[in-house]
Amino acid sequence: MSLYTWLRTATVGFTIVLATATATTANAAPTSAAEPSATASAAAAVTLRYDDSRAGGWEAAIAAGVASWNANVDNVKLVEAAPGTRAEIVIVATTGWPQATLGPVRPGRQVRVELGSQAVSQGYDKTRIAAHELGHSLGLPDTKPGPCSQLMSGSSAGTACVNAIPNAAEQARVESAYAAGAASLVATDGRVLVDAP
């Protein structure tokens, strides 16, 4: 192989390696630049703790209701309170109709959710009840009467309704309530909304 052929082959090889390294670096830069933004938005979310230690028999429905809210809103996240820590949302099982204090609750404050077995005995879905009552804690009033597609229509949607997902308007209202973090939230007015038909 002549020196000219060898140099030409080496130069082409070096150019390919350099181009590959440049492309890899160029592609990696936007990813790492986007990471702080994703971290910043996650850090901006208001975290609310819930205590369901007195809601025996409702654990699966509460977990599904919490998962529904966490999957559909970004500005607030619901997490289970560690034993012995104060929770913003206290959830208890009762024998009456479901009811909850109207929020939006802010960190350090406290609201109460009562998951009433009377609604279940009437045929209403437990997961929808739990998600609906959590919606009150996040600041959403009832929208009765309303269709099944509205989580906050509650019992007015009928016993056949099992929708536990907030619609776009409900999601937007909660996002707006928690958009500027906890500092912008007004204190709850203490109104209790009872969800009997």
Side-chain angles (χ1 to χ4, degrees), residues 14-184:
F14 178 76
T15 303
I16 290 172
V17 170
L18 183 59
T20 303
T22 303
T24 302
T25 304
N27 288 337
T31 304
S32 61
E35 286 172 0
S37 170
T39 304
S41 75
V46 174
T47 300
L48 299 175
R49 294 162 299 183
Y50 68 91
D51 175 5
D52 65 354
S53 61
R54 294 185 290 158
W58 287 85
E59 295 87 355
I62 293 166
V66 165
S68 176
W69 279 108
N70 285 343
N72 288 288
V73 294
D74 295 319
N75 292 338
V76 62
K77 290 298 170 203
L78 303 174
V79 298
E80 189 169 4
T85 59
R86 179 177 163 82
E88 285 81 15
I89 304 171
V90 176
I91 307 172
V92 297
T94 68
T95 57
W97 281 98
Q99 56 186 292
T101 311
L102 181 61
V105 64
R106 64 193 301 186
R109 303 290 176 118
Q110 196 169 68
V111 295
R112 181 177 169 97
V113 167
E114 295 184 10
L115 300 176
S117 62
Q118 191 169 352
V120 178
S121 67
Q122 296 281 328
Y124 292 97
D125 181 70
K126 286 177 106 171
T127 300
R128 179 172 167 83
I129 293 168
H132 175 91
E133 299 307 324
L134 288 168
H136 287 320
S137 298
L138 299 176
L140 297 178
D142 287 312
T143 55
K144 296 178 180 180
C148 183
S149 60
Q150 291 177 341
L151 176 60
M152 300 315 292
S153 67
S155 60
S156 71
T159 57
C161 179
V162 296
N163 173 42
I165 300 171
N167 68 18
E170 293 164 334
Q171 293 170 28
R173 188 161 177 183
V174 170
E175 293 285 52
S176 177
Y178 290 92
S184 68

